[in-house]
Amino acid sequence: MDVEGTEPEMAADVIDLVRTFQQILERARTRPMIQVDEETVTVGQMIDYLRRRLALEDRPLRLKQVLRNVNSRQALVCMFLALLEMVRLQAIQLRQDRLFGEILLRKHTGFAAIVEQAAVHDDWR
C-alpha cells in the first residue's frame, strides 16, 4: 500500500529472486576458493545470522550485499532457504522499488516477536 509522500514499491517477484540468486552463485563459481574442512552451516544458523543482522539495521538491506558475504556454495543455498523461510514466516519482506530493480530485504511488522517464536520451534534444521 502506498503511503502519501513515499515512492511506490513492488513485492519482489520470485523470478527476480531466483535470478539474483543465480547471479550470486555464478559469481561464487568463478572466484577462486580454498576448500577448508569446517563445520557445516545450516539453514537455522543462517536464519539466526539474518535475525541478528536485521536486528541491528533500521533500514532495508540490499539482497546482493547480504549474499556477497557468504563464501561457499552450500552456505549460499542455506542462506537462500533461510530467506525463503523468513518470508514464509512473514518476518521479512523482499521488495523492489521498480520492475527488475534491486531486491531489498527489510524487517516485517512484528519481526522481533516472529523470530523469537520461530527460534523456539527451530523446525528448519
Side-chain angles (χ1 to χ4, degrees):
M1 196 174 346
D2 293 336
V3 178
E4 190 173 320
T6 64
E7 293 186 28
E9 56 184 25
M10 304 167 40
D13 188 305
V14 172
I15 294 170
D16 291 327
L17 185 61
V18 170
R19 185 178 301 124
T20 298
F21 182 64
Q22 286 174 330
Q23 289 170 355
I24 299 296
L25 280 177
E26 185 60 36
R27 275 193 297 229
R29 185 177 303 130
T30 59
R31 72 177 175 225
M33 296 177 116
I34 298 173
Q35 283 297 100
V36 177
D37 289 339
E38 58 184 48
E39 188 176 330
T40 304
V41 67
T42 67
V43 175
Q45 289 169 328
M46 287 299 185
I47 289 173
D48 189 52
Y49 167 78
L50 286 170
R51 179 191 56 77
R52 287 183 283 118
R53 175 101 187 254
L54 286 168
L56 299 172
E57 297 288 338
D58 290 329
R59 59 189 170 96
L61 300 172
R62 293 184 184 128
L63 181 60
K64 285 184 179 179
Q65 185 72 26
V66 171
L67 295 176
R68 186 174 294 134
N69 296 326
V70 180
N71 295 324
S72 72
R73 186 177 182 92
Q74 179 181 354
L76 278 170
V77 170
C78 287
M79 176 63 80
F80 188 69
L81 293 173
L83 287 165
L84 292 177
E85 179 66 10
M86 291 183 80
V87 168
R88 184 189 71 80
L89 293 171
Q90 297 183 353
I92 62 171
Q93 293 178 323
L94 298 173
R95 310 292 274 174
Q96 294 173 293
D97 58 359
R98 66 188 186 310
L99 191 60
F100 302 113
E102 188 165 19
I103 297 174
L104 300 174
L105 168 70
R106 71 175 177 197
K107 295 181 273 192
H108 198 285
T109 308
F111 169 80
I114 292 168
V115 294
E116 183 178 314
Q117 180 182 6
V120 172
H121 293 85
D122 200 7
D123 60 354
W124 47 74
R125 290 183 192 236

